[in-house]
Amino acid sequence: MDERQPLTDDSLRAAAEAFERLRPRLFGIAYRVLGSVSEAEDVVQDVWVRWQGTDRGAVLDPGAYLAKAATRLAVNVARSARVRHEAYVGPWLPEPVDPSVDPQVGAERGEALELAVLLVLQRLNPVERAAYVLREAFAYAYDEIAGILELSQANTRQIVSRARKRLAAERRAPVDSAQHRRLLDAFVAAARHGDVAALEDVLSADVVAYADGNGMRGVARLRVDGAPRVARVSAFARKFFPRAVYGVVEANGRPAVLLVQDGAAVALVSVTVGPDGIDGLYWVLAPDKLRAYERSAHRLTGRP
């Protein structure tokens, strides 16, 4: 029996209005689970197609229905994405977004948005990731998460607890935003001039750096450890992008460095900062990921 609601103009308009109200949340859930702008956009589009064909008169809570659909689709995509990440050439980093102009990253809280946090989340299995995101970023109750993921409440609590402990073990206590910005500005000044000594001054002794170029020539394919080596690699950017203009932008809720050469973004650098200086550098150089960032930054500004 065909249970779909007939698509009259009025019913489709109402369906679209309900969906558009919830789109930011759906995108925010999918993006945090997947770490990919393009894959999250695809999930949201798939949810919209399903929503059009649903018997909406039988749906008591559109928000719960759509969140469940987005979460379960994102979990399925995440399972297949793991294989793709394993075949990736060099470190894989999440696609950055600009939440200052993109409310589709919206959440009840800013949790699970920073690039470094998203990278740690990718080490959880997709269900753990989804449960953590729903609880910590969107403040869903445990019974709601259990319903979305089709788990018991007890199991859901255990999964969220394990995910919290995993993230706590791999994250350092952040410094205040003023200190973060001061060190980022110092990094920009030193990197722009290729000043290795000045770079070492702003890096912690055990700093790590990742470069996501997906096989780009000249891009490190392994994690780089320690202040001396990371400083030299960072200074090399001046030769790698000799005409680049360095600017501070917002990416994933934190200031980041965007390198633009000949009118095109060529790198985005996100940093994590601890008491001893910059302790993590995340270089996004893959062109498709930079285009995804620019797409997020242009979505509401109308910039070409």
Side-chain angles (χ1 to χ4, degrees):
M1 181 175 67
D2 188 353
E3 298 181 347
R4 293 183 300 175
Q5 180 172 312
L7 289 179
T8 65
D9 288 345
D10 288 344
S11 70
L12 189 56
R13 186 180 304 111
E17 289 174 354
F19 183 82
E20 286 303 317
R21 284 195 303 271
L22 294 161
R23 181 189 287 269
R25 172 169 292 208
L26 305 181
F27 180 88
I29 291 170
Y31 172 70
R32 285 168 171 81
V33 171
L34 296 167
S36 167
V37 174
S38 54
E39 288 179 348
E41 289 173 338
D42 288 344
V43 164
V44 172
Q45 182 60 33
D46 286 347
V47 173
W48 166 239
V49 172
R50 292 189 180 201
W51 181 234
Q52 292 178 77
T54 296
D55 179 9
R56 295 182 298 280
V59 176
L60 298 178
D61 185 343
Y65 178 91
L66 292 169
K68 181 174 183 176
T71 302
R72 295 187 68 80
L73 281 169
V75 166
N76 290 339
V77 173
R79 286 173 173 147
S80 62
R82 178 163 289 184
V83 177
R84 296 197 300 276
H85 294 175
E86 289 172 354
Y88 204 78
V89 181
W92 179 93
L93 294 176
E95 290 179 3
V97 293
D98 181 355
S100 69
V101 295
D102 194 346
Q104 292 196 83
V105 192
E108 302 297 334
R109 310 165 184 170
E111 185 62 39
L113 185 60
E114 292 180 43
L115 214 63
V117 176
L118 289 173
L119 182 59
V120 176
L121 274 179
Q122 293 295 315
R123 297 168 191 159
L124 305 177
N125 72 51
V127 171
E128 289 175 328
R129 214 181 301 164
Y132 179 87
V133 165
L134 290 170
R135 179 64 182 168
E136 297 301 317
F138 292 89
Y140 278 86
Y142 284 107
D143 62 332
E144 294 175 305
I145 301 170
I148 288 171
L149 297 174
E150 298 182 355
L151 302 168
S152 69
Q153 284 195 51
N155 194 13
T156 299
R157 288 180 181 274
Q158 291 175 349
I159 287 172
V160 173
S161 177
R162 284 200 305 267
R164 282 178 181 149
K165 290 175 181 176
R166 179 73 181 271
L167 265 74
E170 299 201 38
R171 294 168 67 186
R172 299 184 183 182
V175 301
D176 64 67
S177 56
Q179 174 75 343
H180 189 282
R181 181 58 188 265
R182 184 186 70 78
L183 286 168
L184 183 69
D185 288 343
F187 172 82
V188 170
R192 183 185 288 125
H193 296 98
D195 189 334
V196 174
L199 283 165
E200 283 198 57
D201 285 342
V202 300
L203 302 176
S204 69
D206 57 353
V207 62
V208 296
Y210 302 86
D212 179 336
N214 195 18
M216 287 176 62
R217 184 177 179 181
V219 176
R221 299 188 180 186
L222 297 173
R223 190 181 82 175
V224 179
D225 296 82
R229 293 186 65 209
V230 172
R232 288 196 298 272
V233 168
S234 300
F236 183 71
R238 182 169 178 265
K239 295 181 179 179
F240 202 67
F241 302 116
R243 300 179 305 282
V245 176
Y246 292 64
V248 176
V249 297
E250 185 175 356
N252 295 71
R254 283 285 194 174
V257 184
L258 185 67
L259 279 67
V260 177
Q261 180 167 277
D262 300 331
V266 291
L268 186 140
V269 191
S270 179
V271 306
T272 54
V273 175
D276 300 322
I278 293 173
D279 54 27
L281 282 165
Y282 305 84
W283 290 78
V284 177
L285 301 122
D288 58 333
K289 294 186 177 183
L290 293 171
R291 285 196 297 271
Y293 174 79
E294 291 184 308
R295 191 163 67 247
S296 78
H298 297 172
R299 189 175 283 131
L300 290 186
T301 63
R303 296 197 301 268

